[in-house]
Amino acid sequence: MLNNATIARELPDQPEVVALLAEADAFYDKHYPPELQNLLDVSSLEAPNVHFFVARLDGAAAGFGAVVDHGDWGEVKRMYTAEAVRGMGFGRLILEALEEAGRALRLPVLRLETGYKQTAAIALYENAGYHRRGAFSHYPDIVESLFFEKLL
């Protein structure tokens, strides 16, 4: 099914992508209170150190993800696949593109934070070679968050 899939760096302010970001926000609102959400908004995703990618199926936005370049490490942010395409491999496609971007930026490691209810995402990260670690950067070390990293 991924024969008709593409992934490329794009701007997040496209109406179709903004709608998918809103879908993602609604998903997180359903599962986590606002104080446990660490989401970047559209303007933050347009920052010079953010590399935002959109996955498409037959031209339609199906998911997205970003790498934030922190200089000596990168952070995976805003990974999401549309509910209609879950289980088709888009998460893996997006994660591989983010890792490739991290390597191109010469980042030695990618880190990420995810919620404990994100069982499919946790499995994806672990299967892709990410290892659990403690909290990093500005994140509090709380039970609702899981932290991972992968050397590139």
Side-chain angles (χ1 to χ4, degrees), residues 49-109:
N49 68 322
V50 178
H51 305 265
F52 184 78
F53 291 81
V54 177
R56 295 183 175 275
L57 179 62
D58 295 322
F64 51 76
V67 171
V68 180
D69 182 349
H70 291 287
D72 57 349
W73 60 282
E75 184 176 5
V76 173
K77 293 292 290 181
R78 288 306 305 241
M79 271 207 45
Y80 183 78
T81 57
E83 190 172 336
V85 300
R86 291 204 185 126
M88 299 170 78
F90 278 94
R92 172 78 63 180
L93 181 72
I94 295 165
L95 189 58
E96 287 172 355
L98 300 179
E99 290 174 358
E100 185 177 314
R103 286 185 195 94
L105 293 165
R106 299 198 167 149
L107 299 171
V109 63

Side-chain angles (χ1 to χ4, degrees), residues 1-151:
M1 189 57 146
L2 290 182
N3 292 342
N4 297 330
T6 60
I7 186 159
R9 189 165 176 198
E10 297 186 24
L11 293 173
D13 65 351
Q14 304 169 68
E16 182 182 26
V17 175
V18 170
L20 196 54
L21 284 160
E23 178 184 315
D25 291 349
F27 174 85
Y28 294 118
D29 286 343
K30 181 178 171 183
H31 291 90
Y32 303 101
E35 65 272 12
L36 296 180
Q37 297 179 31
N38 297 295
L39 307 175
L40 297 179
D41 60 17
V42 171
S43 63
S44 298
L45 291 169
E46 293 175 332
N49 68 322
V50 178
H51 305 265
F52 184 78
F53 291 81
V54 177
R56 295 183 175 275
L57 179 62
D58 295 322
F64 51 76
V67 171
V68 180
D69 182 349
H70 291 287
D72 57 349
W73 60 282
E75 184 176 5
V76 173
K77 293 292 290 181
R78 288 306 305 241
M79 271 207 45
Y80 183 78
T81 57
E83 190 172 336
V85 300
R86 291 204 185 126
M88 299 170 78
F90 278 94
R92 172 78 63 180
L93 181 72
I94 295 165
L95 189 58
E96 287 172 355
L98 300 179
E99 290 174 358
E100 185 177 314
R103 286 185 195 94
L105 293 165
R106 299 198 167 149
L107 299 171
V109 63
L110 288 182
R111 296 182 178 135
L112 64 93
E113 177 269 342
T114 192
Y116 72 102
K117 295 180 182 179
Q118 308 306 112
T119 56
I122 293 164
L124 170 67
Y125 301 137
E126 289 176 338
N127 289 333
Y130 285 76
H131 302 281
R132 290 194 190 196
R133 57 154 297 141
F136 60 90
S137 187
H138 65 281
Y139 295 103
D141 192 5
I142 56 174
V143 70
E144 293 87 358
S145 289
L146 299 175
F147 303 93
F148 293 87
E149 73 178 14
K150 180 179 181 178
L151 299 177

